[in-house]
Amino acid sequence: MTHGQDVAGDRVLVAGAYSVDLVYRGLTGPVAYGKEVWAEGFSMVPGGAFTLAMGLRRLGREVVWAADFGNDPFSLEVLAAARDEGLDERGFRRHARPLPNVTTALSRPGDRAMVSYEEPVVAPPLAQLIETYRPALVMLPFLQYGPAVSKALDAAARVGAEVFMDCQDYPGSVDVPEVAKALGQVAVFAPNAAEALRVTGTGSVDEALEVLAGLVRTVVIKQDSRGAVAAEDGVRIAQPSLPVDVVDTTGAGDCFNVGFVHRRLSGGTLGECLAAGVVCGAVSVTAAGSGAALDAAGLERWLARLST
């Protein structure tokens, strides 16, 4: 990858809100209105874009996380966790009012349902953040498009920064011109399988990969326990996952993104990036939330297991 002259080393800018994940595990039955269901386990863990920033920091990357925090218990919980992880706080904005961002995750092996709330706040323009921190890579946690986003992506191009964009359950399809334009400006787009089908309107992962590869330089489609597939410069590859004991899948996609970006910043091939992503995603499901996120030494140990 080519970095602009003024880009600061391998600095990563993560632009996204925090969340606190309330994870209920081992539900005794299906959830329905008018019915109480008990869980066998419960965890409260930092989530949202915290997972991206924390994961990259554990792998030794320089990270600036642009996020807003209030004076509520949820904000304070994530701020404390960020400090424990040694995260750079330059991108933090503190507000003298509550800014609760909460996700309730009802988790079972292999899947989960989520209910989320995010307190509205006007974030700094993404273009301004990119010009201020001049990163080597920008991580965007969800599908974004429109004039302000295009302006930010232009700013990233000016400073020589790559942009990695996830999808999540945000609206938009490739039939919308502004969505197609944004995807054409990012370096990597990494939806999961269901998101890829929705965004492209196709009926299979192979079809979705083909459509997206016509728009984005590098496309990665995450397939949970089946691993991931990717396309870049006309080359398609697949990486099976690792067999692990699943505790909770919350944050697995974000941990995959962390591994992929970490290896990409080191100049890894598409196959090496995909392997690192799959390993980070697989290991993350062995604990609640992103608590099992790997450090650099742990990643190398698990990669050795993947190749045997």
Side-chain angles (χ1 to χ4, degrees):
M1 50 191 285
T2 301
H3 296 162
Q5 184 175 358
D6 296 328
V7 169
D10 284 339
R11 177 183 301 153
V12 179
L13 171 64
V14 175
Y18 88 88
S19 179
V20 169
D21 295 338
L22 309 178
V23 182
Y24 295 81
R25 303 185 306 277
L27 304 183
T28 57
V31 176
Y33 285 108
K35 180 180 179 181
E36 183 175 21
V37 177
W38 289 90
E40 296 176 353
F42 172 80
S43 301
M44 184 171 74
V45 293
F50 168 86
T51 300
L52 300 174
M54 175 275 295
L56 286 165
R57 176 64 183 145
R58 284 192 184 181
L59 289 171
R61 294 295 175 186
E62 180 188 357
V63 186
V64 174
W65 176 24
D68 290 89
F69 299 91
N71 56 12
D72 56 282
F74 299 109
S75 291
L76 299 179
E77 176 78 13
V78 177
L79 280 169
R83 288 165 184 156
D84 286 345
E85 295 287 346
L87 286 175
D88 189 329
E89 298 185 29
R90 284 178 294 168
F92 294 177
R93 296 197 310 172
R94 298 290 301 273
H95 300 265
R97 65 180 179 94
L99 282 178
N101 299 335
V102 188
T103 292
T104 296
L106 308 176
S107 182
R108 63 182 184 182
D111 205 356
R112 79 273 190 219
M114 295 183 289
V115 179
S116 297
Y117 174 80
E118 185 175 305
E119 183 75 12
V121 64
V122 178
L126 180 58
Q128 175 185 316
L129 293 172
I130 292 170
E131 294 284 3
T132 298
Y133 296 110
R134 310 185 78 79
L137 188 141
V138 181
M139 292 195 78
L140 302 180
F142 58 89
L143 177 63
Q144 304 179 41
Y145 54 92
V149 175
S150 289
K151 181 179 179 180
L153 298 178
D154 288 340
R158 284 196 301 273
V159 304
E162 287 197 332
V163 178
F164 179 106
M165 183 183 286
D166 202 333
C167 186
Q168 297 194 20
D169 291 324
Y170 281 76
S173 74
V174 295
D175 294 330
V176 178
E178 288 186 337
V179 173
K181 180 181 179 181
L183 293 180
Q185 291 178 279
V186 304
V188 184
F189 182 52
N192 65 28
E195 293 160 352
L197 299 187
R198 176 180 56 77
V199 168
T200 60
T202 57
S204 72
V205 168
D206 286 342
E207 292 174 315
L209 191 64
E210 182 175 354
V211 170
L212 291 171
L215 294 171
V216 191
R217 192 185 338 162
T218 304
V219 181
V220 179
I221 299 180
K222 295 165 282 194
Q223 301 187 95
D224 301 324
S225 61
R226 291 171 292 168
V229 294
E232 183 178 75
D233 297 328
V235 176
R236 296 188 183 190
I237 62 173
Q239 176 60 63
S241 190
L242 280 168
V244 295
D245 294 327
V246 178
V247 173
D248 172 39
T249 59
T250 305
D254 287 334
C255 287
F256 174 101
N257 296 344
V258 164
F260 187 96
V261 163
H262 171 66
R263 191 60 83 203
R264 188 175 178 90
L265 287 168
S266 297
T269 65
L270 180 60
E272 290 169 340
C273 295
L274 207 59
V278 163
V279 162
C280 286
V283 175
S284 76
V285 306
T286 62
S290 55
L294 292 169
D295 60 15
L299 174 58
E300 295 307 317
R301 288 195 300 270
W302 278 91
L303 282 170
R305 290 181 58 176
L306 185 68
S307 61
T308 58

